């Protein structure tokens, strides 16, 4: 039996998912896309309804992913959530590119925004929330450093190195350099997944789970058949909630592209909007885990999100850009480089300790606020 509060959440999720599918079917049958042909009122109302519906579907993804995490255990639970969010991110960016490619810095801005939101925003909120409730929390040091060992060099290769190459002018890369970087990110991330789910799986599991002996089955544990059935039902629910977000990404992406062009707002705002929507389910999941004193799960979600963006989103978008002959601006400017260096340095100092508290979280939030400020006041 479900509690009244959980029943209301499930009903809300179902309504959001059904509404998401309904909106997509209506837009598909009518062939309508938000843009120049719409009045301001229609554009505002349509995009707001689409965004809110996608937001409801995102929360449904969070709930389904949380249930899967309990059924699959670490690190598979958080890996499902991470890959789901990455699918949303890639879909949004591909739709923006397909809409005309008017923002060549979309990949750079989204990757940079993702790193700032994850390593500063999500990590900061999780550490402050968990530290405020639980005072001090521990996590597996080897797992956290495994993430950072890849995040730091790959982010610098992608966002800083293009400023100093001589094959092309400006903060760009030659097609062969883009192909090399994309393949490198994909191969390294593939190796990491093998390590994470195979021989070093214990690095990413809750430390208590690693130390405790396997409990005996007293007859109350679910049978293998019922467990498989629960996994299948939850996976189907997650897919049903995720697909409307991916399908509606085309329409939201056209609105983002059109709004940036018409309002002459900073191009970096588009990347921030995409990153914020994509990372919302993971941010909520990480905060909940930290509040429940499951800091290892929060660390897996946060750092796994950043790494999946670099390891999966970058190769996909680089390939799509080369096929569509889009020129991508990749290198950060001086102020953004400084924020990236500070973020990576603080992240290493935070996670190398193996313990988390409120002070560490406040430092990360300080950097996140600085990032937001310089988006609007570059």
């Amino acid at each position: 039996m479900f509690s009244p509060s959980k029943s209301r959440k499930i009903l809300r999720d179902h309504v959001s998912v059904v509404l998401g599918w309904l909106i997509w079917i209506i837009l598909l049958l009518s062939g309508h896309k938000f843009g120049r042909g719409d009045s301001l009122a229609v554009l505002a109302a349509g995009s707001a309804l689409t965004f809110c519906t996608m937001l409801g579907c995102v929360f449904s993804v969070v709930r389904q992913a949380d249930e899967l995490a309990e059924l699959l255990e670490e690190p598979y639970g958080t890996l499902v959530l991470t890959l789901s969010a990455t699918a949303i991110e890639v879909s949004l960016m591909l739709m923006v590119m397909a809409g005309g490619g008017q923002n060549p810095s979309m990949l750079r801005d989204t990757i940079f925004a993702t790193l700032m939101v994850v390593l500063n925003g999500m990590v900061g909120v999780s550490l402050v929330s968990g530290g405020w409730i639980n005072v001090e929390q521990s996590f597996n040091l080897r797992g956290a450093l495994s993430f950072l060992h890849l995040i730091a060099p790959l982010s610098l290769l992608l966002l800083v190195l293009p400023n100093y190459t001589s094959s092309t002018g400006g903060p760009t890369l030659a097609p062969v350099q883009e192909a090399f970087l994309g393949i490198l990110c994909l191969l390294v991330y593939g190796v990491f997944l093998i390590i994470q789910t195979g021989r070093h799986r214990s690095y990413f599991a809750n430390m208590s789970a690693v130390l405790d002996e396997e409990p005996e089955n007293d007859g109350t544990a679910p049978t293998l058949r019922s467990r498989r059935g629960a996994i299948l039902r939850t996976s189907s629910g997650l897919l049903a909630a995720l697909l409307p977000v991916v399908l509606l990404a085309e329409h939201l992406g056209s609105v983002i592209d059109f709004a940036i062009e018409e309002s002459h707002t900073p191009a970096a705002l588009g990347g921030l909007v995409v990153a914020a929507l994509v990372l919302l389910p993971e941010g909520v999941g990480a905060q909940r885990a930290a509040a429940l004193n499951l800091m290892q799960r929060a660390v897996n979600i946060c750092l796994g999100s950043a790494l999946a963006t670099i390891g999966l989103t970058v190769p996909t978008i680089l390939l799509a850009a080369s096929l569509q002959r889009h020129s991508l601006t990749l290198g950060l400017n001086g102020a953004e480089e400084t924020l990236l260096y500070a973020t990576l340095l603080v992240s290493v100092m935070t996670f190398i300790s193996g313990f988390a508290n409120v002070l560490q979280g406040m430092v990360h939030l300080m950097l996140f606020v600085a990032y937001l400020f310089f988006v609007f006041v570059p």
Side-chain angles (χ1 to χ4, degrees):
M1 295 295 292
F2 296 123
S3 64
S5 60
K6 187 171 183 178
S7 299
R8 286 194 296 269
K9 291 180 181 179
I10 294 176
L11 178 61
R12 180 198 62 195
D13 291 346
H14 288 169
V15 170
S16 299
V17 172
V18 171
L19 185 59
W21 280 104
L22 185 61
I23 292 175
W24 177 74
I25 292 173
I26 292 174
L27 292 173
L28 178 66
L29 295 178
S30 64
H32 180 76
K33 289 187 178 180
F34 299 113
R36 299 181 183 277
D38 296 317
S39 64
L40 182 60
V42 172
L43 186 63
S47 59
L49 178 61
T50 302
F51 180 79
C52 291
T53 302
M54 293 174 69
L55 209 58
C57 293
V58 163
F59 278 108
S60 179
V61 171
V62 172
R63 185 179 63 81
Q64 303 287 352
D66 282 342
E67 294 182 8
L68 266 180
E70 295 179 2
L71 293 169
L72 298 176
E73 300 179 349
E74 294 297 340
Y76 297 105
T78 54
L79 190 58
V80 169
L81 181 58
T82 298
L83 296 180
S84 300
T86 303
I88 300 175
E89 181 178 47
V90 171
S91 301
L92 276 170
M93 295 179 65
L94 287 177
M95 294 309 174
V96 171
M97 291 175 59
Q102 299 170 348
N103 188 0
S105 63
M106 174 60 77
L107 176 62
R108 178 197 66 186
D109 294 336
T110 302
I111 300 302
F112 181 59
T114 299
L115 292 174
M116 293 298 104
V117 171
V118 170
L119 298 181
N120 291 325
M122 285 170 52
V123 168
V125 169
S126 298
L127 295 184
V128 170
S129 175
W132 187 264
I133 297 174
N134 304 290
V135 184
E136 187 174 69
Q137 298 172 287
S138 62
F139 51 86
N140 196 317
L141 173 62
R142 292 176 294 181
L145 291 183
S146 297
F147 284 112
L148 290 175
H149 280 161
L150 296 184
I151 292 173
L154 290 180
S155 60
L156 294 177
L157 285 175
L158 175 66
L159 299 176
V160 177
L161 183 64
N163 289 329
Y164 304 101
T165 56
S166 57
S167 298
T168 58
T172 60
L173 293 175
V176 65
Q177 293 172 328
E178 292 181 348
F180 168 77
L181 188 58
I183 294 173
L184 181 65
C185 292
L186 191 61
L187 288 177
V188 172
Y189 186 68
V191 173
F192 176 82
L193 287 182
I194 295 174
I195 296 296
Q196 184 184 25
T197 59
R199 63 191 309 169
H200 293 304
R201 180 182 173 183
S202 60
Y203 288 6
F204 309 92
N206 292 323
M207 298 181 67
S208 59
V210 176
L211 297 175
D212 290 345
E213 296 181 357
E214 184 178 354
E216 297 181 359
N217 192 341
D218 59 358
T220 61
T223 63
L224 181 60
R225 179 176 297 180
S226 63
R227 184 184 179 87
R228 288 178 176 174
I231 292 175
L232 180 61
R233 287 193 302 272
T234 307
S235 301
S236 301
L238 187 147
L239 186 63
L242 180 64
L243 281 178
V245 181
V246 175
L247 295 172
L248 290 173
E250 177 182 4
H251 303 279
L252 185 63
S254 63
V255 172
I256 294 173
D257 199 34
F258 175 74
I260 290 175
E261 181 185 5
E262 293 297 316
S263 62
H264 304 289
T265 55
L269 186 60
L272 177 58
V273 172
V274 172
L277 177 62
V278 168
L279 295 170
L280 182 60
E282 294 170 293
V284 174
Q287 188 277 327
R288 288 179 178 175
L292 294 173
N293 202 22
L294 299 173
M295 182 51 68
Q296 185 61 50
R297 173 165 163 77
V299 170
N300 290 348
I301 292 175
C302 292
L303 300 186
S305 303
L307 184 56
T309 296
I310 298 174
L312 294 178
T313 303
V314 168
T316 303
I317 302 305
L318 288 179
L319 177 61
S322 63
L323 293 176
Q324 299 179 22
R325 299 185 182 278
H326 286 171
S327 178
L328 297 177
T329 301
L330 296 173
L332 299 173
N333 61 38
E336 292 170 335
E337 274 191 39
T338 303
L339 283 171
L340 179 60
Y341 292 143
T343 296
L344 294 176
L345 176 62
V346 170
S347 297
V348 171
M349 294 174 65
T350 294
F351 291 108
I352 203 172
S353 66
F355 294 91
N357 56 50
V358 172
L359 177 60
Q360 295 167 322
M362 292 302 297
V363 175
H364 285 274
L365 288 179
M366 175 194 69
L367 289 173
F368 182 63
V369 172
Y371 159 71
L372 292 178
F373 177 80
F374 286 107
V375 166
F376 295 97
V377 188

